[in-house]
Amino acid sequence: MRIYRFLSGEDDSAFCHKVTKALSEGWELHGSPTYGFDAISKKMRCGQAVTKIVRDQPYDPDKKLVDY
């Protein structure tokens, strides 16, 4: 089964570390990153989809995706 997560955050090193951590845990980049201006906070925000193949585990909507 392939599971999907969308990571988002302010355009800073913390966001880069979040994506890097996901990659180190076996997640793979899916598509291009997104980038947009948040008019309320007056800051740029980033987003990146990641996917991961998990075997021998049924999908459980109550389970956190990071626990797969």
Side-chain angles (χ1 to χ4, degrees):
M1 162 179 69
R2 181 181 305 268
I3 54 177
Y4 170 93
R5 289 172 61 196
F6 185 77
L7 307 174
S8 63
E10 189 177 318
D11 180 22
D12 59 11
S13 64
F15 176 75
C16 295
H17 285 283
K18 184 187 298 189
V19 174
T20 300
K21 183 177 186 295
L23 295 174
S24 75
E25 294 171 344
W27 294 84
E28 296 181 2
L29 299 177
H30 180 80
S32 299
T34 60
Y35 196 62
F37 183 70
D38 181 342
I40 295 172
S41 68
K42 307 275 193 260
K43 296 181 181 181
M44 295 301 291
R45 299 202 40 96
C46 300
Q48 175 65 57
V50 292
T51 62
K52 184 177 186 180
I53 300 290
V54 294
R55 303 202 188 286
D56 304 324
Q57 295 185 44
Y59 175 67
D60 179 355
D62 295 323
K63 187 175 184 177
K64 291 182 179 183
L65 294 174
V66 296
D67 292 337
Y68 277 98

